[in-house]
Structure formats: C-alpha cells, structure tokens
Amino acid sequence: MADIHPTLDELDRDGALREAGARVDPITRGSFLRRALAVAGGAAAAGIALPALSPGAALAQSGSDVDILNYALTLEYLEAAFYAEAVSRGALSGELATFARTVAGHERAHVLALQRALGSKAVKRPSFDFKGTTGSQDAFWRTALTLEDTGVEAYQGAAVNIQSRDILTAAISIHPIEARHAAWIASISSRGGTSPNSPAPQPFNPARTMDEVLAVVRSTGFISTMAGATPSQGMTSQPAMTG
Amino acid sequence: MFHRAKLAELDRDDAILETAADAADAARSSGTTRAAFLTRGGLMVGAGLGLGSLPIALAGAQGGLSSGDVRILNYALTLEYLEAAFYADALKRAGLRGNVLAFARTAHGDEQAHVDALKRTLGGKAVKRPRFDFMDATGSQDAFLRTAMTLEDTGVSAYQGQAPNIASRDVLAAAGAILAVEARHAAWVADLIGRGSDPSPAPDAFSPALDMNAVLAAVRRTGFIQ
C-alpha cells in the first residue's frame, strides 16, 4: 500500500474551503463581534470551559482564516484520535494514564470548538493508523511529545496570519494548552530518567509554518485515509465516502 | 484539593502603581517619537544574547512600534522583571533541591532572556526595573513552588489577554513565542507540585486570559514590588 501523504489541499478535496473563502457572508464585523467568542477577562474569570466560537462563525471569516481553522482542526483530529486510542487500549498506567485521559478530553474539546466555528466548512475527520504507538508507554510518550511540540509550533506559526480578532483570541486560548501538554509530558518523561527532555527547552518557543507542520504530520504516516478521498487523488485504501 | 491561588490572594500592600504609571507615561511619550525609534531599527529579540537563531524579529526593523505596542511591551517587561527577580531571589535563598532547582534555574534563565529581549526592543522607552521584596515567598521550597505557579499562570493569562491588542505582526510573533514558554513553565511547576494530578499541569481545555488592569491590580496586591 502506497504511503498516503495528504496535504490540506487534499483534505479540501472539492475546493469547499477555497469556495467558502470566496463567498464571505456580508455580516458586519460589529455584529460578528457581538455574537462571537467570549474573550479575555470576563469569560476567563468566570471559568469558561469553551471559548464560545459561535456556530456558523465561519460565515464571517476570511478565506484564509477558514483555511487556518481547518488546519488546526486537522491537527486536533489527529491528537484527539491518538489519545482516545491510547486510553482505550489500556497500555498506560500511573501518570501517563492521567496525562492521556486529561489531554484526550482537551483535544476533543478543541475539535468540537473548531467544528462549531467552521460549521459546514469543517473538514471531515480522516482515518488514522497510529502504528502501535498507543500500545506501549515508551512509544506513547515519545509520540505525544512530538505531537504536542508540533501543535504548539503550529498554533504559534498560524496565529500571526489570522485576520479576525476573535479567531485569534480563540486560537491563543488553545496555543498555551498545547504548550502545557508538551511541558507536562516532557516533565513526566524526564522524571523517569529515561529522557533528557526539558519541559521548557528554550526561552523563546519556535514556530513552524503550515507547510513545515504538514510535512511533520505526513512523516508520521498516521493519517491513513482522508474521509471522502478518491483513488485518483492517490488514496488507495478506502472507497470514497461522501460527506 | 490543591488551592490554585490567584495573584490577588497573595495580597499585600501597594507598589506597582508607580511602575504601571511609568509604563503609561512611556507609552504616551512614544507616540511622537517614532522617528527616533526608527534610528534603532533592525533589532532582533535575543540578538547578541547567545540564544541561537530566534524566529522573532521585533518591530524595530519593520517601521517602528505603535504607542499601544510600546505600552504592551512595557507591561510585559514589568511582569518579566518580576519573574526574573523572583527566580533569582529563590535561587539564592529558598533552599531549592533536585528537580525544583533545575526548574528554577531554567525558568530564571528564560525570564532573564525575556527581560533582555524586551528591553532591547524598547530601547529608551523601556520602563526601569522596580525594586522587589519577595518576603516569605522565596523563603522555602514549598512557598517558592506555590508562588511560582501563580506567577506563571498569571504570565500566561497576561500575554494571552494582550495578544489581540498587538498591532505589529512581529510583536505578536514574539509574544506568542514567550506565551508558550510561560505556559510550559506553568505546567512544569504544577507537575513538580502535584505529580500530574493535583494541581493539574493543564487544568482546562482552554486557557483563560486576563486584561491588563486585572493583572496589574493583582501584582500590586502581592506587595512584591517596592
């Protein structure tokens, strides 16, 4: 079976994302702001669990913001599936099990928030094959560390390209959570003496571009089948499933 | 259940008001000195600090900082002064050991690098370093850990609260690079205290933001700034 190397363009198999970007709903920024997400301060003080990206908020997003949100959604699908599988396989114990359960919940919440924000423009969840990395403690933490570091770098790199203030506010409420996950798993792994990973290896966290991140994701081979992908696009396994 | 203290609960007298006022003055005076700032253009965060290749080019090279960005950067600098001084004091007198000592050394180096980068970027508009007194907070390893977690949690929320207000793309990029490191510190110290369960290194799926007034009021009430 040939390796599948999906890119975001492949995820956007029918050009829905680009089209969506081209027909931005004529909602004024003011009205969008009023019904968009809860922001710094009040909502935070109230201990909100969701950044309240409103359903259908994507209507007012620029095309590039839709692309960025779908890029984030793809990464969150990947992370959520990885942790869900790790939890369900039951190979983890102690601190790693606590970490996996907690992070699984966070990544699922990120997926739901992004899906709600994108509405019908959300990319479909791909199929995943984690190649045994969820079946042992050692493989799990190494993979988790890579995924979380990559997640931090991805949000950081994308943030500066976001047009909407509200989308930026939401993205940077997720960015530090990925950083917390990354530090947490590094702290667990270094405590066991099995890893020299510092939870905070540099004073300035590096950022990565979308292309760089997608190359990392491709190199894992974890995305096995794009939902709805067709053989002509290089997908060899599952038949096309219409969304 | 671990009590996750808010900065306001660390409560003491007043002090940072002056610093905040200085920051506001610096911001006001910066509005008309864009040309002067440009003469220092081309600054890179961390340039000359031996930090290797940083992906952060701050706004000096990009046409000067807006007065709003100067205000935000001085606010960030004040918080970084506080954090750097806190870790320096703890390394001297808190009797830190093992993994906690490793954390404090790393965090101290990171916060000092943030201070240096922000000062370099602000140049003549940088607020002065206040005087600090951390009292009992650096008197023992246990007190150190709890205060460190509160300071780092606050740092994350502070950067997060300002990010949407930043005008310069370069300043936003730098803020993101620092924000992630503050979040790493926050998770690391929580893990050292609770071994991953209580307090959790990642207590929520979405990180809360705090606005500038809320953070400054909380910092003021700690009494750490003389």
Side-chain angles (χ1 to χ4, degrees):
Chain A
M1 174 172 144
D3 281 347
I4 306 301
H5 295 316
T7 66
L8 266 190
D9 280 340
E10 288 164 342
L11 291 173
D12 184 20
R13 66 191 150 84
D14 50 6
L17 301 187
R18 304 280 184 266
E19 272 182 49
R23 49 156 205 279
V24 173
D25 193 89
I27 295 173
T28 67
R29 180 173 168 85
S31 77
F32 175 66
L33 284 173
R34 278 192 294 279
R35 64 193 182 83
L37 52 155
V39 292
I48 49 152
L50 282 173
L53 275 166
S54 60
L59 288 176
Q61 292 156 15
S62 73
S64 63
D65 280 359
V66 171
D67 283 351
I68 290 169
L69 288 175
N70 267 320
Y71 163 59
L73 177 57
T74 301
L75 298 179
E76 298 287 0
Y77 277 141
L78 174 68
E79 291 183 321
F82 173 73
Y83 292 109
E85 185 177 298
V87 169
S88 70
R89 286 185 69 167
L92 307 177
S93 60
E95 293 174 46
L96 282 176
T98 301
F99 169 81
R101 275 196 311 273
T102 303
V103 178
H106 293 175
E107 309 300 10
R108 197 162 50 240
H110 298 166
V111 165
L112 292 172
L114 291 164
Q115 282 181 328
R116 282 201 316 168
L118 283 157
S120 63
K121 298 181 188 68
V123 291
K124 298 285 187 293
R125 181 182 180 282
S127 296
F128 297 101
D129 176 359
F130 294 107
K131 304 180 184 304
T133 55
T134 56
S136 78
Q137 303 233 107
D138 196 58
F140 168 78
W141 76 251
R142 289 174 192 279
T143 305
L145 190 62
T146 300
L147 290 180
E148 297 295 343
D149 279 343
T150 303
V152 181
E153 292 163 359
Y155 275 97
Q156 202 178 307
V160 294
N161 296 322
I162 293 172
Q163 306 293 313
S164 155
R165 178 188 170 96
D166 300 311
I167 302 298
L168 174 61
T169 300
I172 58 168
S173 77
I174 296 177
H175 174 220
I177 299 303
E178 304 291 337
R180 283 177 178 268
H181 295 164
W184 186 2
I185 191 64
S187 184
I188 292 172
S189 70
S190 57
R191 188 156 55 234
T194 56
S195 155
N197 297 303
S198 169
Q202 302 171 72
F204 301 94
N205 204 83
R208 286 198 204 228
T209 66
M210 196 183 292
D211 284 346
E212 290 169 339
V213 170
L214 291 175
V216 170
V217 171
R218 273 198 303 277
S219 73
T220 65
F222 287 165
I223 299 186
S224 57
T225 309
M226 306 314 301
T230 60
S232 67
Q233 288 173 291
M235 305 299 168
T236 56
S237 49
Q238 300 296 316
M241 302 190 308
T242 51
Chain B
M1 176 79 186
F2 184 87
H3 178 63
R4 209 171 188 106
K6 298 276 185 284
L7 247 195
E9 298 172 49
L10 295 176
D11 225 314
R12 298 275 181 152
D13 51 25
D14 289 1
I16 203 186
L17 271 182
E18 265 179 59
T19 306
D22 287 349
D25 288 345
R28 275 191 293 278
S29 67
S30 71
T32 54
T33 54
R34 179 180 147 132
F37 182 80
L38 284 173
T39 63
R40 288 193 310 277
L43 299 178
M44 295 286 292
V45 171
L49 299 177
L51 297 170
S53 61
L54 289 169
I56 310 154
L58 269 180
Q62 307 295 324
L65 293 165
S66 71
S67 60
D69 283 0
V70 168
R71 179 160 185 264
I72 291 168
L73 288 169
N74 266 320
Y75 166 63
L77 176 57
T78 301
L79 298 178
E80 298 287 358
Y81 277 139
L82 173 68
E83 290 183 320
F86 170 73
Y87 289 112
D89 197 44
L91 286 168
K92 270 185 238 159
R93 53 184 293 261
L96 308 180
R97 307 174 297 279
N99 287 336
V100 177
L101 178 59
F103 162 74
R105 283 182 175 149
T106 301
H108 175 250
D110 291 347
E111 310 302 5
Q112 190 58 51
H114 298 166
V115 165
D116 292 345
L118 291 164
K119 280 176 69 175
R120 190 175 285 264
T121 301
L122 283 158
K125 296 186 186 64
V127 290
K128 297 270 189 299
R129 181 182 181 282
R131 296 172 60 85
F132 297 100
D133 180 356
F134 295 103
M135 300 164 279
D136 295 343
T138 49
S140 70
Q141 179 158 298
D142 188 59
F144 162 78
L145 283 167
R146 287 160 190 274
T147 305
M149 193 177 76
T150 300
L151 289 179
E152 295 293 351
D153 281 346
T154 302
V156 175
S157 295
Y159 274 98
Q160 209 182 306
Q162 291 312 306
N165 301 325
I166 292 171
S168 156
R169 178 189 169 98
D170 295 324
V171 173
L172 178 59
I178 295 175
L179 165 63
V181 172
E182 302 292 337
R184 285 175 176 273
H185 293 165
W188 189 358
V189 69
D191 193 49
L192 289 174
I193 296 170
R195 289 298 172 100
S197 52
D198 185 20
S200 173
D204 297 297
F206 300 94
S207 184
L210 286 172
D211 69 27
M212 195 182 288
N213 288 337
V215 170
L216 289 177
V219 169
R220 188 171 67 241
R221 286 194 296 270
T222 65
F224 290 162
I225 297 186
Q226 297 301 289

